[in-house]
Amino acid sequence: DSGVTQTPKHLITATGQRVTLRCSPRSGDLSVYWYQQSLDQGLQFLIQYYNGEERAKGNILERFSAQQFPDLHSELNLSSLELGDSALYFCASQAIPKDTQYFGPGTRLTVL
Amino acid sequence: SQKIEQNSEALNIQEGKTATLTCNYTNYSPAYLQWYRQDPGRGPVFLLLIRENEKEKRKERLKVTFDTTLKQSLFHITASQPADSATYLCALDPVKSQNFVFGPGTRLSVLP
């Protein structure tokens, strides 16, 4: 158990819909990362937050947004969903920059 | 362009043998490199970190080498066991960035 929690575990929705994925980092970790992993694809970095502020952006679509709240949990919002958005979404937390990342169990999103 | 490659998509070896996985990178100058293990449908789990000034790092049956001249890291599992079957990911830090970049992974199967 990494100490990082993600909810929900599974999410099935339809094209055009909007969903919110939630992540709680390990106790004390200020940094949260979001990744997308499609079938047979590597981990694609989406976005990073550190203590409530956006720090780095990767290949995140404009339809996707995220935020980190004062209690350090983070939410990833995916809107106008398309079939190609079906993937595993992982969050990871990190104590200090460039340290080991601890990954959550992931949310499997299926868009029908 | 910047690239991270891992030697092969899949590697099959016999139980008891040494598995060697390769991570090559192009147009990065990482200060360190990490290796993670990922089981199907689960989040990656940190295994080892090696810094640019370290030639080799060991942890139990695992060994990592880092050659900044060749721009390559090798990951060895000695006395491999079927339980070692998983996908192994290398990750490096683009020096001026906060986020990690992950390789595509190598799926290792250890056959009994």
Side-chain angles (χ1 to χ4, degrees):
Chain A
D1 183 4
S2 66
V4 178
T5 60
Q6 286 188 250
T7 56
K9 209 168 174 142
H10 301 276
L11 201 47
I12 301 175
T13 187
T15 54
Q17 295 298 305
R18 173 190 166 96
V19 297
T20 297
L21 312 184
R22 184 188 166 105
C23 168
S24 291
R26 291 188 323 156
S27 176
D29 284 359
L30 300 179
S31 209
V32 169
Y33 295 73
W34 285 98
Y35 292 89
Q36 180 193 58
Q37 188 173 44
S38 304
L39 197 64
D40 297 329
Q41 294 290 310
L43 276 166
Q44 300 295 316
F45 167 69
L46 296 177
I47 197 163
Q48 180 213 356
Y49 280 84
Y50 180 82
N51 203 20
E53 291 187 6
E54 182 186 302
R55 273 296 172 92
K57 234 171 177 174
N59 300 323
I60 187 166
L61 299 171
E62 279 189 21
R63 301 183 284 109
F64 296 1
S65 65
Q67 53 184 323
Q68 187 178 28
F69 295 87
D71 67 352
L72 300 178
H73 92 271
S74 178
E75 292 182 356
L76 178 67
N77 301 296
L78 315 176
S79 61
S80 303
L81 285 167
E82 301 175 0
L83 295 178
D85 297 328
S86 295
L88 266 169
Y89 290 84
F90 290 105
C91 86
S93 78
Q94 187 183 56
I96 55 175
K98 306 216 172 188
D99 195 13
T100 301
Q101 292 189 11
Y102 294 87
F103 283 79
T107 292
R108 182 175 294 281
L109 172 67
T110 303
V111 182
L112 302 174
Chain B
S1 65
Q2 294 175 318
K3 212 174 2 176
I4 304 178
E5 294 173 308
Q6 294 191 239
N7 52 329
S8 55
E9 224 177 88
L11 183 65
N12 295 330
I13 64 162
Q14 214 60 42
E15 182 176 5
K17 300 289 186 189
T18 296
T20 298
L21 285 64
T22 305
C23 176
N24 294 297
Y25 57 91
T26 307
N27 292 327
Y28 286 111
S29 299
Y32 58 93
L33 194 143
Q34 302 189 15
W35 284 87
Y36 288 78
R37 169 187 171 136
Q38 187 177 24
D39 291 288
R42 303 179 79 99
V45 174
F46 169 76
L47 295 174
L48 278 169
L49 177 153
I50 186 164
R51 301 183 194 284
E52 60 179 338
N53 60 349
E54 296 174 319
K55 286 279 192 288
E56 183 180 296
K57 205 82 170 278
R58 289 176 186 259
K59 179 182 171 184
E60 296 169 357
R61 295 183 295 112
L62 308 180
K63 184 177 92 171
V64 173
T65 62
F66 191 10
D67 188 325
T68 54
T69 304
L70 289 178
K71 296 187 182 297
Q72 180 182 80
S73 175
L74 298 180
F75 177 79
H76 306 272
I77 307 175
T78 57
S80 59
Q81 304 164 0
D84 295 326
S85 299
T87 295
Y88 291 85
L89 306 167
C90 66
L92 56 80
D93 69 313
V95 174
K96 292 179 183 172
S97 171
Q98 298 272 0
N99 58 288
F100 288 103
V101 179
F102 281 81
T106 295
R107 191 170 62 249
L108 174 68
S109 296
V110 180
L111 309 171

